[in-house]
Amino acid sequence: ATPKDGPSAGITMLSALASAFTGRKIKPYLAMTGEITLRGQVLPVGGIKEKVLAAKRAGLKEIIMCWQNEKDVEEINHQYIKG
């Protein structure tokens, strides 16, 4: 595989397509990040700290990401992301 920039929107694009096909709306306060495989597995991505803080600043309440990025979230000072 060749390293590339910009795969973080894979899950977002798939969710948008699924929403369009099914007619079910996505929550307006939901953020998501992650590369997605052809089999539907969500892969970890970089820059989680920046993405979480940006989502918080934008007023988003929930974030979907790969479970393997949990360690990146734990490194963020909790006073910055508390509701």
Side-chain angles (χ1 to χ4, degrees):
T2 303
K4 56 194 175 297
D5 291 332
S8 299
I11 188 171
T12 306
M13 292 188 303
L14 181 64
S15 297
L17 288 171
S19 174
F21 284 124
T22 64
R24 295 181 64 193
K25 295 182 180 180
I26 297 173
K27 299 174 188 176
Y29 53 84
L30 180 66
M32 52 189 90
T33 185
E35 185 173 357
I36 194 156
T37 67
L38 293 175
R39 294 180 182 249
Q41 181 181 6
V42 179
L43 302 176
V45 294
I48 293 299
K49 179 179 179 181
E50 293 80 7
K51 291 173 185 171
V52 169
L53 295 176
K56 174 69 176 173
R57 276 193 306 273
L60 302 175
K61 305 289 185 199
E62 297 179 31
I63 302 174
I64 296 175
M65 68 181 76
C66 179
W67 65 270
Q68 293 169 310
N69 282 121
E70 183 178 359
K71 64 184 179 306
D72 300 314
V73 175
E74 291 171 355
E75 292 175 2
I76 302 171
N77 189 333
H78 289 287
Q79 73 179 11
Y80 295 126
I81 56 176
K82 269 193 174 172

